[in-house]
């Protein structure tokens, strides 16, 4: 799928930074929503020659398109609505560090939002593949392979709330990894957040059945990964 952004591409830098996406909003939604609803991921070619555009203009473009897809919200206490994904030589093992600032291979995870928007500007020299798996697929496989593990994932499990939270306390909270409130299976999974919760003395220790359920979840994700992996192209949303 493509979206015609010639008016934006051919405009001056100043005009790009003032550009609004309302004119392309209907076409954007028509291009993305069917695949988002049926597959959970959509790929849209936006630009071909990214070298013509400044980083500032590309950031504005993504922010403008996001306004046409929903209500942008920050994921961090800093309040920023947009983050640059690039290696800043940060240590992924630290709870203080977000994965997008490293070159580490990130484990399966879901961000704290309904929809994540990513514009690929440059492809990594190695790596950079993406795999998208639906929580409904995961739950269906677990229900067949290990119903006990599925039951554990539907019960509260401790999550670390990270140093960037907007409040001092609590430092962790308990929530299910998977749930269904009548709209299908939903979830929130970041294994390192669960593991890092154990650094807090007042946090309950993960039980053997919880550890086993998390390991089974990772096994299912690994089995689903090959058929759901792709490598994004520069200029692709």
């Amino acid at each position: 799928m493509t979206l015609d952004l010639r008016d934006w591409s051919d405009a001056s830098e100043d005009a790009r930074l003032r550009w609004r996406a309302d004119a392309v909003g209907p076409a954007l939604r028509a291009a993305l929503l069917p695949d988002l609803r049926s597959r959970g991921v959509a790929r849209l070619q936006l630009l071909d020659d990214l070298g013509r555009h400044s980083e500032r203009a590309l950031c504005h473009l993504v922010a403008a398109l996001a306004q046409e897809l929903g209500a942008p919200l920050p994921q961090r206490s800093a309040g920023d609505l947009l983050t640059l994904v690039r290696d800043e030589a940060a240590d992924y093992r630290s709870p203080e560090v977000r994965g997008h600032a490293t070159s580490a291979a990130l484990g399966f995870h879901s961000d704290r939002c309904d929809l994540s928007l990513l514009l690929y500007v440059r492809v990594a020299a190695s790596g950079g593949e993406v795999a998208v798996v639906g929580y409904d697929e995961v739950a269906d496989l677990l229900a067949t392979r290990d119903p006990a593990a599925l039951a554990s994932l539907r019960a509260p499990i401790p999550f670390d709330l990270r140093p960037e939270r907007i409040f001092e306390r609590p430092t962790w909270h308990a929530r299910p990894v998977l749930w269904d409130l009548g709209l299908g299976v939903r979830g929130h999974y970041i294994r390192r957040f669960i593991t890092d919760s154990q650094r807090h003395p007042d946090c309950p220790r993960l039980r053997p059945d919880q550890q086993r359920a998390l390991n089974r979840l990772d096994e299912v994700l690994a089995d689903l990964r090959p058929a759901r992996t792709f490598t994004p192209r520069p200029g692709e949303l």
Side-chain angles (χ1 to χ4, degrees):
M1 295 180 294
T2 61
L3 186 68
D4 190 349
L5 289 180
R6 283 175 295 182
D7 288 348
W8 183 86
S9 296
D10 295 338
S12 66
E13 177 77 355
D14 182 63
R16 288 177 194 155
L17 295 174
R18 290 184 287 105
W19 184 78
R20 293 171 56 90
D22 49 343
V24 300
L28 176 69
R29 291 187 290 274
L32 294 181
L33 291 181
D35 279 350
L36 286 175
R37 288 169 176 154
S38 64
R39 300 173 57 235
V41 60
R43 302 173 64 183
L44 183 64
Q45 191 68 30
L46 287 185
L47 303 166
D48 293 321
D49 185 7
L50 273 74
R52 298 173 53 198
H53 313 303
S54 69
E55 184 177 281
R56 186 181 176 197
L58 292 173
C59 287
H60 178 83
L61 173 64
V62 174
L65 294 175
Q67 292 282 354
E68 295 301 313
L69 294 172
L73 295 170
Q75 292 194 56
R76 306 192 304 164
S77 58
D80 46 331
L81 297 175
L82 189 145
T83 297
L84 298 178
V85 180
R86 61 186 176 194
D87 183 15
E88 297 177 359
D91 185 356
Y92 186 52
R93 296 168 296 182
S94 170
E96 310 278 338
V97 170
R98 295 288 294 272
H100 65 255
T102 78
S103 62
L106 306 185
F108 272 105
H109 66 282
S110 51
D111 289 322
R112 290 163 284 186
C113 54
D114 296 317
L115 178 65
S116 295
L117 210 58
L118 297 171
L119 174 62
Y120 283 79
V121 178
R122 288 178 295 277
V123 173
S126 62
E129 299 86 3
V130 175
V132 178
V133 174
Y135 281 117
D136 53 347
E137 300 175 278
V138 170
D140 287 345
L141 265 183
L142 282 172
T144 301
R145 294 184 182 181
D146 198 328
L150 179 59
S152 292
L153 295 170
R154 291 183 181 276
I157 290 178
F159 278 71
D160 186 271
L161 288 175
R162 320 314 275 172
E164 64 195 23
R165 62 188 178 275
I166 61 175
F167 39 79
E168 184 176 355
R169 297 285 177 183
T171 57
W172 63 274
H173 72 154
R175 65 179 297 171
V177 171
L178 300 172
W179 62 88
D180 188 343
L181 300 178
L183 297 173
V185 178
R186 301 291 187 266
H188 183 220
Y189 181 55
I190 305 181
R191 182 72 182 259
R192 65 193 293 247
F193 281 27
I194 297 172
T195 300
D196 289 345
S197 73
Q198 304 298 278
R199 65 197 175 108
H200 303 296
D202 63 333
C203 182
R205 301 302 92 181
L206 287 168
R207 302 188 310 270
D209 67 295
Q210 292 174 320
Q211 294 276 18
R212 178 178 170 279
L214 294 168
N215 290 337
R216 293 292 278 165
L217 172 57
D218 285 339
E219 290 171 11
V220 166
L221 288 167
D223 289 345
L224 291 170
R225 177 196 299 269
R228 291 155 179 81
T229 298
F230 61 93
T231 301
R233 301 180 294 269
E236 189 172 53
L237 191 74

